Amino acid sequence: MAAGCREDPSLERHFKGHRDAVTSVDFSLNKKQLASGSMDSCLMIWSMKPQMRAYRFVGHKDAVMCVHFSPSGHLVASGSRDKTVRLWVPSVKGESTVFKAHTATVRSVHFSSDGQSLITASDDKTVKVWTVHRQKFLFSLSQHLNWVRCARFSPDGRLIVSASDDKTVKLWDKTSRECIHSFCEHGGFVNHVDFHPSGTCIAAAGTDNTVKVWDVRMNRLLQHYQVHSAVVNSLSFHPSGNYLVTASNDSTLKILDLLEGRLLYTLHGHQGPATCVAFSRTGDLFASGGSDEQVMVWKTNFDAADCGEVLKTQKSGMSSIIPEDGTHQTLVLCFCRGQSESMLSHVEETYFGLGT
């Protein structure tokens, strides 16, 4: 799709309610609710309907490091520095079940696509898999040598990927529980990792300011983006698989076009580090959180032509992901606090490093 045909992303709304840095955001399947976790030890459930009240869930004894909606939207999982995981019912009562998941901070929680399993990652250097029903412990993955920041199931549930402060990204076979491959190309700690919607690729964000994309079938580095000027904290694939959004300590969000291998947009909204970002399940919205205690919801807009291509993209995989060159022209979106209209300005062409 030609760049001239795209509409630019816009700030839809922002939520204030947390009393410390926001650590994690996630949309429910129907986009009616948005969950956020914070260093203030609270989980917030925001209604996407105007004038609807938000729920503040209190229960964790320390910072909430991660949140994730179940596929059905009937549960929200949260992990905390208090070493526990809670499963919440996202309603006015705020009921939850709690279990001691790890012996150190829980950095990551993630439901499998069928909603039957939950994966957790911790500073105790382990990744653990649980049943959602009755929270029964199934098994542990213990080959990382330092804190595990993030763990995710593949879309088909057969693989697990984990990211660690040992500077590796590990790919695991869920059935055999064996490490299939370790990706060691990051020059720093790996903060975040996720699967491409097709399950054929993974993307990882690191403290070396880079984003890397690997093919998990050939264990090959496909792309290496150097577009941020500080630590990259979080990333999220658009459900079409064509775009990636990233959040960084440089206070910006970046939209990457994976098919063309270029930077599309730089979004300035947060005052201070942008700590987390996530697309909605349909991709028409994405949310971000920051150390400024704010949660922002953005309208994607640029993906209009891709919405009908989601299934087609997932079937075809990502064979054409390598671009012919590394040039891009970026549109910078500048936002004042609470302002929903963007000012667009073109900047000079820049370059990113490409790993092949």
Side-chain angles (χ1 to χ4, degrees):
M1 184 178 179
C5 299
R6 286 194 180 96
E7 287 189 46
D8 304 314
S10 58
L11 183 61
E12 189 84 350
R13 59 195 301 192
H14 65 277
F15 298 111
K16 296 180 181 178
H18 281 299
R19 294 157 187 163
D20 206 335
V22 179
T23 58
S24 182
V25 288
D26 191 43
F27 284 97
S28 63
L29 178 63
N30 60 16
K31 295 180 300 184
K32 291 183 179 179
Q33 292 180 314
L34 173 67
S36 61
S38 169
M39 299 299 288
D40 65 9
S41 305
C42 293
L43 169 75
M44 298 286 290
I45 303 290
W46 312 91
S47 174
M48 296 303 293
K49 292 182 180 178
Q51 282 79 52
M52 289 289 287
R53 293 180 64 182
Y55 303 137
R56 183 192 304 275
F57 292 165
V58 179
H60 282 295
K61 303 294 190 294
D62 208 332
V64 177
M65 307 305 295
C66 47
V67 297
H68 191 235
F69 267 101
S70 66
S72 67
H74 296 149
L75 290 174
V76 180
S78 61
S80 171
R81 207 156 56 183
D82 66 12
K83 308 173 188 177
T84 70
V85 168
R86 283 182 180 265
L87 296 178
W88 308 82
V89 178
S91 63
V92 66
K93 290 183 179 180
E95 297 172 336
S96 69
T97 57
V98 59
F99 60 101
K100 177 78 178 294
H102 290 271
T103 58
T105 297
V106 182
R107 297 271 174 187
S108 175
V109 290
H110 185 246
F111 286 97
S112 58
S113 57
D114 63 7
Q116 299 300 306
S117 302
L118 184 74
I119 192 167
T120 60
S122 169
D123 288 1
D124 66 11
K125 307 177 188 177
T126 69
V127 173
K128 293 184 179 181
V129 177
W130 315 77
T131 64
V132 173
H133 180 61
R134 296 188 179 176
Q135 301 85 56
K136 179 186 174 185
F137 171 74
L138 293 177
F139 61 89
S140 181
L141 305 173
S142 310
Q143 290 186 28
H144 279 295
L145 304 176
N146 208 332
W147 295 357
V148 188
R149 297 272 178 175
C150 187
R152 295 286 186 267
F153 288 111
S154 61
D156 63 10
R158 292 188 295 181
L159 300 174
I160 290 169
V161 68
S162 57
S164 170
D165 281 10
D166 64 11
K167 301 182 182 180
T168 71
V169 172
K170 291 187 183 294
L171 191 67
W172 311 80
D173 183 287
K174 182 173 178 285
T175 303
S176 69
R177 306 174 190 179
E178 293 180 355
C179 181
I180 301 169
H181 189 77
S182 290
F183 300 95
C184 306
E185 287 92 343
H186 267 286
F189 301 159
V190 190
N191 285 328
H192 196 98
V193 68
D194 203 1
F195 277 96
H196 182 269
S198 68
T200 61
C201 300
I202 56 171
T207 60
D208 59 359
N209 307 354
T210 69
V211 173
K212 291 183 169 70
V213 181
W214 289 279
D215 186 315
V216 298
R217 297 163 298 184
M218 297 180 287
N219 298 328
R220 186 167 72 95
L221 182 65
L222 293 178
Q223 291 182 327
H224 175 188
Y225 292 93
Q226 295 174 296
V227 294
H228 284 288
S229 60
V231 170
V232 188
N233 295 309
S234 180
L235 53 77
S236 179
F237 279 103
H238 186 274
S240 70
N242 295 344
Y243 308 101
L244 191 69
V245 62
T246 59
S248 168
N249 276 3
D250 64 14
S251 82
T252 70
L253 308 177
K254 304 272 187 183
I255 308 290
L256 305 174
D257 185 325
L258 296 174
L259 297 182
E260 296 185 21
R262 66 190 185 106
L263 176 64
L264 273 185
Y265 297 103
T266 296
L267 285 74
H268 295 266
H270 290 284
Q271 306 296 312
T275 52
C276 51
V277 67
F279 274 112
S280 64
R281 304 301 204 266
T282 50
D284 56 332
L285 298 172
F286 59 97
S288 61
S291 62
D292 57 5
E293 305 173 8
Q294 291 206 75
V295 174
M296 297 186 176
V297 177
W298 309 76
K299 197 167 183 184
T300 305
N301 294 330
F302 58 80
D303 69 335
D306 298 280
C307 290
E309 297 292 317
V310 173
L311 291 176
K312 182 179 174 184
T313 302
Q314 290 179 350
K315 288 177 183 176
S316 64
M318 292 183 67
S319 57
S320 61
I321 196 169
I322 298 294
E324 293 180 3
D325 60 62
T327 63
H328 71 268
Q329 189 171 45
T330 178
L331 288 171
V332 181
L333 293 169
C334 302
F335 290 94
C336 298
R337 194 180 284 261
Q339 185 177 340
S340 60
E341 296 296 319
S342 63
M343 297 181 293
L344 298 178
S345 59
H346 291 274
V347 298
E348 294 180 0
E349 285 189 344
T350 55
Y351 297 83
F352 67 85
L354 181 67
T356 57

